[in-house]
């Protein structure tokens, strides 16, 4: 039985889903996406995935691969997730909240 506080299975399922989304993303997209995130980290203090080029945001069948993309960039030391959110500026996202990322330029 799942309870309100039973978060471990939910976190495990999230990790599996993120890994699957990343694994299923085309290799060409992954390299372009990583380069785009690195460029944002080098040129901006803060950003969201809305700031990625359109071909990166919309160029893959599974948009959930943006989460693992950003976690990879954070693991590389390029950026860190803040505790703030910003409403998406893209119509298809219906102004949903997006995480704000802070550049760690000295790590790039």
């Amino acid at each position: 039985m799942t309870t309100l506080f039973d978060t471990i299975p939910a976190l495990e399922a999230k990790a599996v889903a993120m890994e699957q989304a990343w694994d299923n993303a085309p290799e060409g997209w992954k390299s372009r996406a990583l380069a785009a995130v690195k460029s944002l980290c080098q040129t901006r203090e803060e950003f969201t995935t809305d700031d990625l080029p359109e071909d990166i945001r919309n160029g893959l069948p599974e948009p959930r691969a943006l989460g693992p993309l950003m976690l990879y960039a954070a693991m590389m030391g390029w950026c860190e997730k803040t505790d703030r959110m910003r409403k998406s500026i893209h119509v298809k996202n219906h102004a949903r909240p997006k995480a704000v990322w802070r550049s760690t330029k000295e790590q790039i």
Side-chain angles (χ1 to χ4, degrees):
M1 178 174 147
T2 302
T3 68
L4 179 62
F5 301 103
D6 192 13
T7 59
I8 299 303
L11 292 173
E12 290 171 355
K14 177 182 177 180
V16 168
M18 289 179 77
E19 185 173 349
Q20 288 174 339
W22 184 253
D23 288 347
N24 292 326
E27 287 303 320
W29 177 87
K30 290 179 191 179
S31 60
R32 290 191 324 275
L34 286 168
V37 172
K38 188 173 186 179
S39 177
L40 281 177
C41 293
Q42 291 171 325
T43 59
R44 301 202 183 183
E45 295 294 321
E46 293 185 339
F47 59 92
T48 72
T49 56
D50 276 357
D51 297 312
L52 289 166
E54 184 177 357
D55 68 312
I56 301 301
R57 289 190 327 272
N58 301 323
L60 71 160
E62 180 51 76
R64 289 179 285 188
L66 290 175
L69 169 70
M70 296 308 301
L71 291 179
Y72 183 81
M75 286 189 318
M76 294 299 294
W78 301 343
C79 58
E80 60 190 11
K81 191 175 181 180
T82 70
D83 61 351
R84 294 178 294 118
M85 305 292 273
R86 191 177 298 155
K87 289 182 181 179
S88 178
I89 60 172
H90 297 290
V91 173
K92 75 174 194 158
N93 291 331
H94 301 209
R96 74 174 175 81
K98 292 224 171 176
V100 175
W101 294 84
R102 178 181 306 112
S103 171
T104 55
K105 292 179 186 177
E106 63 278 355
Q107 300 295 323
I108 301 173

